């Protein structure tokens, strides 16, 4: 088996970190999208007599935030696991950069 270059290893680690970050961001988008759909549906049912443009009120925003919190709570274990994984990856990348003496790329995190 051929040894892997430290630079290649670092680029693989950074790619894995980007993938983990993308997965975490996708979960957040799913949660906010679902919360918005639920809030809009509830709003439409409560105000079925109104027609016209969107009238997003403070109470609608509170309803939306409540749904975001509930949905995030339901997926808390998945979110926490990904957040821990992301922290481990960032620490490993920082250690690898220090080992390589590569301070120029550390600002790109």
């Amino acid at each position: 088996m051929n040894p892997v270059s430290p630079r290649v290893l670092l680029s693989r680690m950074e790619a894995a970190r980007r993938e983990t970050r993308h997965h975490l961001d996708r979960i957040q988008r799913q949660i906010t999208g679902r919360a918005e759909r639920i809030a809009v549906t509830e709003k439409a049912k409560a105000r079925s007599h109104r027609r016209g443009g969107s009238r997003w009120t403070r109470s609608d925003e509170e309803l939306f935030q409540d749904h975001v919190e509930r949905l995030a709570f339901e997926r808390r274990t998945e979110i926490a696991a990904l957040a821990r994984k992301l922290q481990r990856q960032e620490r490993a990348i920082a250690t690898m950069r220090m080992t390589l003496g590569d301070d120029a790329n550390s600002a790109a995190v």
Side-chain angles (χ1 to χ4, degrees):
M1 186 166 162
N2 295 336
V4 178
S5 163
R7 297 272 179 208
V8 172
L9 183 58
L10 179 61
S11 67
R12 287 180 186 171
M13 292 166 68
E14 289 171 339
R17 182 191 61 203
R18 280 191 301 274
E19 185 177 326
T20 303
R21 167 54 59 197
H22 178 71
H23 190 181
L24 197 54
D25 291 342
R26 185 177 341 133
I27 290 171
Q28 290 298 96
R29 285 192 307 272
Q30 288 172 348
I31 287 171
T32 56
R34 177 84 175 118
E36 184 175 1
R37 286 190 300 276
I38 292 170
V40 167
T41 301
E42 288 180 14
K43 177 181 164 183
K45 288 179 182 176
R47 301 180 190 148
S48 60
H49 65 283
R50 271 178 46 182
R51 297 194 184 269
S54 174
R55 307 272 193 289
W56 197 260
T57 64
R58 187 176 304 143
S59 64
D60 297 327
E61 181 65 26
E62 290 172 3
L63 179 65
F64 167 73
Q65 292 299 329
D66 288 343
H67 287 301
V68 167
E69 290 174 14
R70 182 182 56 82
L71 293 169
F73 181 76
E74 290 174 1
R75 296 184 75 175
R76 71 190 178 280
T77 55
E78 182 181 10
I79 293 169
L82 285 170
R84 286 191 307 269
K85 181 178 181 179
L86 191 60
Q87 287 176 343
R88 283 192 310 271
Q89 288 171 330
E90 289 173 351
R91 282 194 309 265
I93 289 170
T95 302
M96 179 64 79
R97 284 185 177 150
M98 285 177 53
T99 301
L100 294 173
D102 193 10
D103 293 329
N105 286 334
S106 64
V109 176

